Amino acid sequence: MGETIVLAGASGFVGRYLAEHYRAAGATVRLIGRAGADARWGDADAVRRAVTGADVLINLAGKSVNCRYTPANRAEILRSRVETTRELREAVAASDAPPVVWFNASTATIYRHAEDRPMTEATGELGTGFSVDVARAWEDELFAGELPATRRVALRMAIVLGDGSALGPLRMLTRAGLGGPQVDGRWFSTAARRRAGTFHTFGARGGRQRFSWVHLADVLGSIEFLRGRPDIAGPVNIAAPNPTDNRTMMATLRRVLGVRFGLPARRWMLELGSAVIRTETELVLKSRWVVPERLLDAGYAFAFPDLEAALRDIAGERRVAAPASGSLD
């Protein structure tokens, strides 16, 4: 392949997947991150050297949102995205051979809770609250200033499905008989949560909140496709073209796993459970209805446009990885 790929924040399962792919293809992969990386955050000269001469820069840095939205965690979720993106932008600006294209992670959560229609890059409406504020700040930092030699693309990724993704906990719940829909309902709020924008307001009924997703292979496929389209810059939705809803998603997962039934989880159960495992109900109750209009219009062909085929592919990979147990986990 003979090219140089720079991956920032590549310790998660998406980053590891991309690094393995590019190395297997013969590329030189430079890592920017914390311990063990080629350049560490905070070392401006090292980061500038890392991006210099790169064909592609991909930034995935950011603290996981799968946590309780305490003041400390909220501050770190924001800082870990905005400051790292700013550091990369300054490094690219200072480089005498900047990368040709920069893909920066963003999130499909930037759009509002949508039950009425899908959100596209052209007609989607941005939402409100903490998660949306973070996404806005993240993209604002990416597109700030002038970088005339570097095309910038914000990857508004839906929930990424793959080995090591959010599917792990859902598989465990499903095999334990708890693989029914996650059902929204009314719940008490506090002034502090309202001020912080972290309270999920009751929306979709009966587990019909929309579920937008993308197979890990199509994250890579989208990036590679967009590399060959220098006419595309700005926000791009990275989501499968056939979103579903929570109830259908859980039924599909049960079918793939061979589980005949699944008890639903009501809002009160989710609130109590999320407090115990230190996460937030927004992650499963917000209705995310996102379609990849720009990718489809440009002619990208998804490897996994349908959910069941995507889940069966991931389940098959698990079986190959663990033939002795035959387990999906």
Side-chain angles (χ1 to χ4, degrees):
M1 197 172 185
E3 60 184 4
T4 298
I5 310 293
V6 176
L7 285 170
S11 60
F13 90 104
V14 175
R16 293 194 302 270
Y17 176 83
L18 296 180
E20 290 171 5
H21 166 81
Y22 286 118
R23 285 176 176 140
T28 297
V29 176
R30 300 175 188 161
L31 301 180
I32 301 174
R34 289 171 291 188
D38 299 292
R40 300 186 64 174
W41 297 118
D43 187 337
D45 287 339
V47 174
R48 177 186 54 77
R49 290 193 299 269
V51 303
T52 296
D55 296 281
V56 182
L57 168 60
I58 304 171
N59 178 31
L60 304 168
K63 174 181 170 59
S64 172
V65 296
N66 186 19
C67 63
R68 202 69 175 162
Y69 290 166
T70 63
N73 282 340
R74 294 199 306 273
E76 183 58 17
I77 287 170
L78 179 62
R79 186 211 64 79
S80 63
R81 286 161 173 75
V82 173
E83 287 189 9
T84 52
T85 301
R86 180 182 304 127
E87 193 168 343
L88 289 173
R89 182 169 52 79
E90 292 172 349
V92 171
S95 173
D96 56 7
V100 176
V101 59
W102 173 7
F103 296 104
N104 206 79
S106 182
T107 173
T109 299
I110 197 170
Y111 299 109
R112 64 170 172 82
H113 178 104
E115 301 177 52
D116 55 335
R117 64 178 179 86
M119 301 289 106
T120 70
E121 298 92 339
T123 64
E125 300 174 40
L126 303 191
T128 58
F130 167 70
S131 297
V132 174
D133 291 344
V134 169
R136 285 174 180 264
W138 204 2
E139 291 191 4
D140 286 347
E141 194 62 54
L142 169 64
F143 295 117
E146 297 294 326
L147 298 178
T150 301
R151 175 166 56 103
R152 289 172 279 186
V153 179
L155 304 175
R156 289 182 175 173
M157 288 188 281
I159 295 173
V160 181
L161 302 182
D163 185 8
S165 69
L167 277 179
L170 292 178
R171 279 193 295 259
M172 289 189 294
L173 287 172
T174 300
R175 282 205 297 267
L178 301 174
Q182 285 88 51
V183 181
D184 205 350
R186 302 195 182 280
W187 191 251
F188 68 89
S189 179
T190 65
R193 294 195 74 185
R194 290 194 298 272
R195 284 195 303 271
T198 60
F199 178 71
H200 169 75
T201 302
F202 175 37
R205 297 176 182 274
R208 293 300 182 185
Q209 63 269 29
R210 303 296 295 189
F211 178 76
S212 288
W213 58 275
V214 63
H215 190 291
L216 183 56
D218 278 314
V219 175
L220 170 62
S222 298
I223 289 172
E224 285 299 292
F225 177 81
L226 291 167
R227 285 183 63 187
R229 292 296 304 262
D231 56 315
I232 298 178
V236 176
N237 291 344
I238 307 299
N242 298 312
T244 183
D245 60 32
N246 178 269
R247 179 175 290 275
T248 304
M249 183 272 292
M250 294 305 297
T252 305
L253 183 58
R254 292 197 304 273
R255 185 162 57 249
V256 169
L257 294 173
V259 177
R260 295 176 65 88
F261 71 95
L263 296 174
R266 306 289 177 183
R267 174 75 181 265
W268 67 268
M269 299 166 65
L270 294 169
E271 291 289 348
L272 297 177
S274 65
V276 171
I277 65 174
R278 311 306 295 165
T279 189
E280 292 287 341
T281 57
E282 176 197 57
L283 301 178
V284 295
L285 294 179
K286 180 175 179 178
S287 187
R288 297 171 175 86
W289 192 353
V290 180
V291 294
E293 184 176 65
R294 297 190 74 187
L295 282 174
L296 292 175
D297 287 351
Y300 177 66
F302 280 81
F304 295 95
D306 298 306
L307 180 62
E308 183 157 349
L311 293 177
R312 290 195 182 280
D313 177 76
I314 296 164
E317 289 180 359
R318 296 292 296 191
R319 291 192 183 96
V320 170
S325 66
S327 172
L328 294 178
D329 280 332

